[in-house]
mmCIF file of all heavy atoms in Angstrom:
data_model
loop_
_atom_site.group_PDB
_atom_site.id
_atom_site.type_symbol
_atom_site.label_atom_id
_atom_site.label_comp_id
_atom_site.label_asym_id
_atom_site.label_seq_id
_atom_site.Cartn_x
_atom_site.Cartn_y
_atom_site.Cartn_z
ATOM 1 N N ARG Y 8 7.609 16.296 4.383
ATOM 2 C CA ARG Y 8 8.342 17.112 5.362
ATOM 3 C C ARG Y 8 7.773 18.522 5.289
ATOM 4 O O ARG Y 8 7.777 19.157 4.232
ATOM 5 C CB ARG Y 8 9.842 17.108 5.044
ATOM 6 C CG ARG Y 8 10.663 17.956 5.995
ATOM 7 C CD ARG Y 8 12.134 17.663 5.859
ATOM 8 N NE ARG Y 8 12.501 16.398 6.471
ATOM 9 C CZ ARG Y 8 12.699 16.211 7.774
ATOM 10 N NH1 ARG Y 8 12.565 17.206 8.615
ATOM 11 N NH2 ARG Y 8 13.033 15.031 8.243
ATOM 12 N N GLY Y 10 6.919 22.648 6.277
ATOM 13 C CA GLY Y 10 7.676 23.869 6.527
ATOM 14 C C GLY Y 10 7.952 24.721 5.316
ATOM 15 O O GLY Y 10 8.291 25.891 5.457
ATOM 16 N N ASN Y 11 7.816 24.170 4.105
ATOM 17 C CA ASN Y 11 8.115 24.985 2.915
ATOM 18 C C ASN Y 11 6.894 25.779 2.469
ATOM 19 O O ASN Y 11 5.837 25.186 2.247
ATOM 20 C CB ASN Y 11 8.511 24.099 1.730
ATOM 21 C CG ASN Y 11 9.879 23.513 1.886
ATOM 22 O OD1 ASN Y 11 10.436 23.522 2.973
ATOM 23 N ND2 ASN Y 11 10.420 22.985 0.807
ATOM 24 N N PRO Y 12 7.016 27.099 2.292
ATOM 25 C CA PRO Y 12 5.902 27.833 1.677
ATOM 26 C C PRO Y 12 5.780 27.424 0.213
ATOM 27 O O PRO Y 12 6.794 27.255 -0.467
ATOM 28 C CB PRO Y 12 6.314 29.307 1.801
ATOM 29 C CG PRO Y 12 7.728 29.323 2.231
ATOM 30 C CD PRO Y 12 8.168 27.948 2.622
ATOM 31 N N LEU Y 13 4.567 27.217 -0.266
ATOM 32 C CA LEU Y 13 4.394 26.816 -1.664
ATOM 33 C C LEU Y 13 4.381 28.060 -2.550
ATOM 34 O O LEU Y 13 3.624 29.001 -2.317
ATOM 35 C CB LEU Y 13 3.096 26.032 -1.845
ATOM 36 C CG LEU Y 13 2.970 24.751 -1.019
ATOM 37 C CD1 LEU Y 13 1.763 23.941 -1.481
ATOM 38 C CD2 LEU Y 13 4.236 23.893 -1.077
ATOM 39 N N VAL Y 14 5.227 28.043 -3.556
ATOM 40 C CA VAL Y 14 5.391 29.204 -4.434
ATOM 41 C C VAL Y 14 5.449 28.721 -5.879
ATOM 42 O O VAL Y 14 6.144 27.745 -6.182
ATOM 43 C CB VAL Y 14 6.693 29.972 -4.090
ATOM 44 C CG1 VAL Y 14 6.905 31.150 -5.047
ATOM 45 C CG2 VAL Y 14 6.674 30.463 -2.653
ATOM 46 N N GLY Y 15 4.704 29.398 -6.757
ATOM 47 C CA GLY Y 15 4.752 29.034 -8.178
ATOM 48 C C GLY Y 15 3.349 28.816 -8.718
ATOM 49 O O GLY Y 15 2.374 29.328 -8.163
ATOM 50 N N LEU Y 254 0.830 31.352 -4.347
ATOM 51 C CA LEU Y 254 0.577 30.291 -5.318
ATOM 52 C C LEU Y 254 -0.411 30.756 -6.375
ATOM 53 O O LEU Y 254 -1.412 31.397 -6.054
ATOM 54 C CB LEU Y 254 -0.021 29.108 -4.545
ATOM 55 C CG LEU Y 254 0.063 27.713 -5.134
ATOM 56 C CD1 LEU Y 254 1.512 27.312 -5.393
ATOM 57 C CD2 LEU Y 254 -0.578 26.712 -4.164
ATOM 58 N N LEU Y 386 1.932 19.558 5.442
ATOM 59 C CA LEU Y 386 2.743 20.587 4.768
ATOM 60 C C LEU Y 386 3.220 21.673 5.729
ATOM 61 O O LEU Y 386 4.156 22.405 5.421
ATOM 62 C CB LEU Y 386 1.940 21.245 3.622
ATOM 63 C CG LEU Y 386 1.666 20.384 2.391
ATOM 64 C CD1 LEU Y 386 0.761 21.128 1.413
ATOM 65 C CD2 LEU Y 386 2.966 19.982 1.692
ATOM 66 N N GLU Y 409 3.298 14.997 -7.333
ATOM 67 C CA GLU Y 409 4.116 15.672 -8.356
ATOM 68 C C GLU Y 409 3.731 17.140 -8.459
ATOM 69 O O GLU Y 409 4.581 18.018 -8.586
ATOM 70 C CB GLU Y 409 3.911 15.011 -9.723
ATOM 71 C CG GLU Y 409 4.575 13.652 -9.812
ATOM 72 C CD GLU Y 409 4.243 12.942 -11.122
ATOM 73 O OE1 GLU Y 409 3.959 13.615 -12.127
ATOM 74 O OE2 GLU Y 409 4.282 11.698 -11.109
ATOM 75 N N LYS Y 410 2.427 17.394 -8.395
ATOM 76 C CA LYS Y 410 1.971 18.787 -8.505
ATOM 77 C C LYS Y 410 2.492 19.614 -7.326
ATOM 78 O O LYS Y 410 2.962 20.731 -7.504
ATOM 79 C CB LYS Y 410 0.448 18.841 -8.547
ATOM 80 C CG LYS Y 410 -0.158 18.289 -9.827
ATOM 81 C CD LYS Y 410 -1.638 18.621 -9.896
ATOM 82 C CE LYS Y 410 -2.298 17.995 -11.110
ATOM 83 N NZ LYS Y 410 -3.691 18.454 -11.294
ATOM 84 N N LEU Y 411 2.392 19.060 -6.121
ATOM 85 C CA LEU Y 411 2.833 19.814 -4.938
ATOM 86 C C LEU Y 411 4.353 19.985 -4.927
ATOM 87 O O LEU Y 411 4.876 21.026 -4.532
ATOM 88 C CB LEU Y 411 2.361 19.120 -3.646
ATOM 89 C CG LEU Y 411 0.850 19.173 -3.386
ATOM 90 C CD1 LEU Y 411 0.489 18.340 -2.154
ATOM 91 C CD2 LEU Y 411 0.362 20.619 -3.201
ATOM 92 N N ARG Y 412 5.053 18.945 -5.388
ATOM 93 C CA ARG Y 412 6.520 19.043 -5.439
ATOM 94 C C ARG Y 412 6.945 20.167 -6.382
ATOM 95 O O ARG Y 412 7.889 20.892 -6.129
ATOM 96 C CB ARG Y 412 7.110 17.715 -5.903
ATOM 97 C CG ARG Y 412 8.226 17.260 -5.024
ATOM 98 C CD ARG Y 412 8.849 15.946 -5.332
ATOM 99 N NE ARG Y 412 8.456 15.279 -6.524
ATOM 100 C CZ ARG Y 412 7.823 14.103 -6.548
ATOM 101 N NH1 ARG Y 412 7.484 13.499 -5.420
ATOM 102 N NH2 ARG Y 412 7.528 13.521 -7.683
ATOM 103 N N GLY Y 413 6.155 20.332 -7.457
ATOM 104 C CA GLY Y 413 6.454 21.359 -8.456
ATOM 105 C C GLY Y 413 6.396 22.774 -7.902
ATOM 106 O O GLY Y 413 6.928 23.703 -8.508
ATOM 107 N N VAL Y 414 5.719 22.968 -6.770
ATOM 108 C CA VAL Y 414 5.651 24.315 -6.186
ATOM 109 C C VAL Y 414 6.388 24.366 -4.838
ATOM 110 O O VAL Y 414 6.160 25.259 -4.021
ATOM 111 C CB VAL Y 414 4.187 24.807 -6.039
ATOM 112 C CG1 VAL Y 414 3.605 25.114 -7.407
ATOM 113 C CG2 VAL Y 414 3.315 23.805 -5.295
ATOM 114 N N GLY Y 415 7.246 23.387 -4.620
ATOM 115 C CA GLY Y 415 8.161 23.497 -3.482
ATOM 116 C C GLY Y 415 7.881 22.606 -2.288
ATOM 117 O O GLY Y 415 8.611 22.661 -1.291
ATOM 118 N N ALA Y 416 6.850 21.758 -2.357
ATOM 119 C CA ALA Y 416 6.580 20.883 -1.208
ATOM 120 C C ALA Y 416 7.596 19.736 -1.174
ATOM 121 O O ALA Y 416 8.069 19.299 -2.225
ATOM 122 C CB ALA Y 416 5.173 20.320 -1.299
ATOM 123 N N GLN Y 417 7.914 19.277 0.020
ATOM 124 C CA GLN Y 417 8.770 18.096 0.137
ATOM 125 C C GLN Y 417 7.870 16.905 0.377
ATOM 126 O O GLN Y 417 7.453 16.650 1.505
ATOM 127 C CB GLN Y 417 9.734 18.264 1.304
ATOM 128 C CG GLN Y 417 10.744 19.380 1.087
ATOM 129 C CD GLN Y 417 11.800 19.329 2.164
ATOM 130 O OE1 GLN Y 417 12.585 18.396 2.247
ATOM 131 N NE2 GLN Y 417 11.802 20.334 3.020
ATOM 132 N N ILE Y 418 7.519 16.232 -0.695
ATOM 133 C CA ILE Y 418 6.595 15.094 -0.593
ATOM 134 C C ILE Y 418 7.044 14.010 -1.556
ATOM 135 O O ILE Y 418 7.398 14.294 -2.692
ATOM 136 C CB ILE Y 418 5.134 15.545 -0.876
ATOM 137 C CG1 ILE Y 418 4.176 14.348 -0.996
ATOM 138 C CG2 ILE Y 418 5.001 16.414 -2.110
ATOM 139 C CD1 ILE Y 418 2.690 14.735 -1.000
#
Side-chain angles (χ1 to χ4, degrees):
R8 179 166 285 280
N11 287 15
L13 301 191
V14 177
L254 202 58
L386 290 175
E409 287 174 27
K410 290 191 184 188
L411 290 175
R412 228 177 7 244
V414 289
Q417 294 190 66
I418 171 169

